[in-house]
Amino acid sequence: MAKAALGLNNPQIADMTGLHRNTLNRLDKGDGKASTIKLVRLTLEAEGVRFLDPGQVSTGYGVTLPEDAREAGGD
């Protein structure tokens, strides 16, 4: 969601982070090291994205998923 909000794709994020596109593709599938996730998160935050904790309320526009949507494939 953060990538879409910024209009970024994996090749662009790869350029920004120095990560390989395949690493970002694996991250999109839910596979990734904590250090990789942190780097991508910090990069997206530097571009203006704000990640919210469960129950935290946005002060602007945003999107969210219910907690069980991820396990159900987002449907």
Side-chain angles (χ1 to χ4, degrees), residues 4-17:
L6 294 171
L8 296 173
N9 58 35
N10 281 354
Q12 292 167 313
I13 294 174
D15 288 341
M16 296 166 76
T17 61

Side-chain angles (χ1 to χ4, degrees), residues 1 12-13 33-34 40 63 73:
M1 287 185 208
Q12 292 167 313
I13 294 174
K33 297 178 184 177
V40 172
V63 295

Side-chain angles (χ1 to χ4, degrees), residues 4-57:
L6 294 171
L8 296 173
N9 58 35
N10 281 354
Q12 292 167 313
I13 294 174
D15 288 341
M16 296 166 76
T17 61
L19 295 170
H20 193 278
R21 284 184 260 178
N22 290 344
T23 300
L24 296 169
N25 291 337
R26 284 193 302 273
L27 193 63
D28 287 343
K29 295 176 183 175
D31 299 325
K33 297 178 184 177
S35 59
T36 302
I37 294 167
K38 183 177 180 179
L39 174 59
V40 172
R41 179 179 176 147
L42 291 172
T43 301
L44 295 172
E45 287 176 337
E47 294 297 314
V49 168
R50 289 182 44 214
F51 291 91
L52 304 177
D53 294 322
Q56 190 176 0
V57 178

